[in-house]
């Protein structure tokens, strides 16, 4: 029996990666159609009732005609798409969380939604450490000065240099796949690692106020939920030791960015590093664009070739389980 699959890849998790993984993993004949989505050349956004998706409902509906399985990263699984595609039975999202899928509507329609947890854990952990070091050692501004032909010897002044990781205390807010890897890396630098995560047991686990009070370096790794929105605000930043460094490579909603800018401008924080923001792209006029001692990257923490290949392999493996009639491994549908 031939199964018809739509590979709705983009310019990161490419169709060629999805198709190679499907050919390698899925038994029997597979009829694969292709649809290339515009992300990241065009930013994702809200589509219908789902978030962080490419605005391609019409193209997706057309490509899904007669299709039983869709593998994608950014395609929007909305009520409109589900209503127009009654033959769809499996929607595999090659990312850590299927925020671009309406899970309740999918369940009502009999469509299973899977995802790819841990696909970018290595890349994000490595990026987090790079951002922490860049902010602590002021690499971006010193590079910019040198590139402009300016030698800033004053950066060597005692009151302008940052702390070392070795012998310092680092606090991780969230201890999932990424947080655990960051903890191992920091321990390798000689840092004491504290953890706050109400859902897991971990060495060095403490309550959030104690973590903030003791940690010279704080890195956010929690998921964005109703409970974690604004988790780190003015009071939490003020509780950190003067001269601390704050890093967020998780989700912009975790952090009060006005409070962050206040702390950078006042000098309470030595520095900060952000890969995620309350609005993406950052709008003109944002305080983040002029805040001192702030390192920024455009939501790139999970971007590596290995992440893309791993994402394709994870979703292809669940398609193979579906074809063999086995339980799916990473199911998000209620």
């Amino acid at each position: 029996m031939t199964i018809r699959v739509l590979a709705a890849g983009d310019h990161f998790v490419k169709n060629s990666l999805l198709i190679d993984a499907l050919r390698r993993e899925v038994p029997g004949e597979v009829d694969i159609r292709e649809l290339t989505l515009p992300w990241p050349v065009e930013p994702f956004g809200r589509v219908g009732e789902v978030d962080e998706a490419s605005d391609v409902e019409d193209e997706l509906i057309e490509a899904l005609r007669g299709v039983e399985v869709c593998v994608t990263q950014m395609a929007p699984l909305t009520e409109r798409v589900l209503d127009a595609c009654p033959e769809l039975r499996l929607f595999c999202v090659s990312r850590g969380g299927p925020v671009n899928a309406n899970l309740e509507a999918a369940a009502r329609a009999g469509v299973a939604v899977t995802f790819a947890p841990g696909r970018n854990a290595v890349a994000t952990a490595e990026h987090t450490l790079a951002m922490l070091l860049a902010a602590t050692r002021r690499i971006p501004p010193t590079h910019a000065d040198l590139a402009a032909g300016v030698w800033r010897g004053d950066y060597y002044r005692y009151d302008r240099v940052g702390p070392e990781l070795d012998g310092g205390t680092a606090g991780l807010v969230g201890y999932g796949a990424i947080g655990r890897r960051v903890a191992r890396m920091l321990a390798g630098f000689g840092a004491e690692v504290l953890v706050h995560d109400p859902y897991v047991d971990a060495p060095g686990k403490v309550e959030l106020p104690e973590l903030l009070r003791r940690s010279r370096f704080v890195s956010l790794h929690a998921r964005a939920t109703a409970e974690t929105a604004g988790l780190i605000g003015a009071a939490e930043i003020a509780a950190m030791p003067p001269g601390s460094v704050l890093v967020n490579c998780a989700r912009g909603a975790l952090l009060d960015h006005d409070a962050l800018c206040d702390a950078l401008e006042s000098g309470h924080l030595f520095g900060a590093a952000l890969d995620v923001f309350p609005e993406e792209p950052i709008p003109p006029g944002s305080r983040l664009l002029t805040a001192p001692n702030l390192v920024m990257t455009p939501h790139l923490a999970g971007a590596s070739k290995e992440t893309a290949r791993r994402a394709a392999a994870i979703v292809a493996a669940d398609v193979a389980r579906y074809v063999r009639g086995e339980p799916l491994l990473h199911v998000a549908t209620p």
Side-chain angles (χ1 to χ4, degrees):
M1 176 179 170
T2 300
I3 184 171
R4 183 168 290 173
V5 178
L6 173 66
D10 48 58
H11 300 289
F12 177 53
V13 181
K14 297 168 66 69
N15 275 333
S16 58
L17 297 175
L18 292 168
I19 291 169
D20 286 348
L22 288 167
R23 298 289 189 203
R24 187 171 58 248
E25 296 285 343
V26 180
E29 294 294 322
V30 184
D31 177 10
I32 302 175
R33 297 180 181 180
E34 294 184 50
L35 174 66
T36 300
L37 308 187
W39 191 85
V41 178
E42 296 180 13
F44 58 55
R46 188 164 181 84
V47 179
E49 71 279 10
V50 303
D51 291 316
E52 297 186 15
S54 292
D55 190 4
V56 293
E57 277 185 304
D58 292 337
E59 297 91 330
L60 184 63
I61 288 169
E62 182 61 32
L64 283 173
R65 297 192 187 283
V67 168
E68 187 175 348
V69 174
C70 178
V71 292
T72 187
Q73 180 180 219
M74 293 292 175
L77 188 65
T78 60
E79 286 193 274
R80 179 170 173 245
V81 170
L82 288 160
D83 289 344
C85 305
E87 295 182 48
L88 184 65
R89 286 294 170 266
L90 179 62
F91 191 84
C92 299
V93 179
S94 63
R95 58 199 298 190
V99 294
N100 51 311
N102 184 329
L103 300 180
E104 289 76 16
R108 290 194 299 269
V111 176
V113 177
T114 71
F115 60 112
R119 66 161 196 166
N120 64 354
V122 174
T124 304
E126 291 180 355
H127 195 89
T128 297
L129 189 62
M131 294 285 272
L132 176 58
L133 290 170
T136 303
R137 307 315 298 264
R138 289 192 165 159
I139 293 171
T142 53
H143 169 83
D145 286 335
L146 283 174
V150 179
W151 184 276
R152 291 281 301 276
D154 59 307
Y155 277 120
Y156 217 112
R157 284 172 34 180
Y158 180 82
D159 59 352
R160 303 210 67 181
V161 297
E164 296 178 351
L165 290 175
D166 189 5
T169 300
L172 306 182
V173 181
Y175 199 65
I178 297 167
R180 289 193 296 271
R181 289 182 179 275
V182 173
R184 291 200 297 270
M185 293 177 181
L186 289 169
F189 274 81
E192 177 189 9
V193 178
L194 302 179
V195 172
H196 171 71
D197 191 324
Y199 303 104
V200 300
D201 290 322
K205 182 175 179 179
V206 296
E207 293 300 317
L208 182 59
E210 181 179 353
L211 180 146
L212 296 170
R213 176 176 57 82
R214 294 175 54 188
S215 299
R216 178 56 61 87
F217 313 98
V218 174
S219 185
L220 307 184
H221 300 284
R223 284 197 173 274
T225 66
E227 291 75 23
T228 60
L231 182 67
I232 305 299
E236 288 74 23
I237 293 173
M240 295 170 60
S244 299
V245 178
L246 177 61
V247 178
N248 187 11
C249 291
R251 281 292 184 266
L254 301 175
L255 179 62
D256 181 332
H257 291 80
D258 278 325
L260 174 71
C261 290
D262 289 342
L264 289 168
E265 290 168 2
S266 71
H268 176 68
L269 289 180
F270 177 83
L274 303 177
D275 184 60
V276 289
F277 305 91
E279 184 177 347
E280 298 179 3
I282 303 171
S286 169
R287 292 180 67 190
L288 294 171
L289 300 177
T290 56
N293 303 323
L294 177 60
V295 179
M296 297 185 288
T297 52
H299 208 146
L300 285 177
S304 70
K305 286 182 167 56
E306 288 81 2
T307 291
R309 292 197 294 266
R310 196 177 296 117
I314 291 171
V315 294
D318 257 339
V319 175
R321 294 183 187 94
Y322 173 81
V323 171
R324 292 193 297 262
E326 299 172 1
L328 301 171
L329 186 57
H330 304 297
V331 185
T333 326

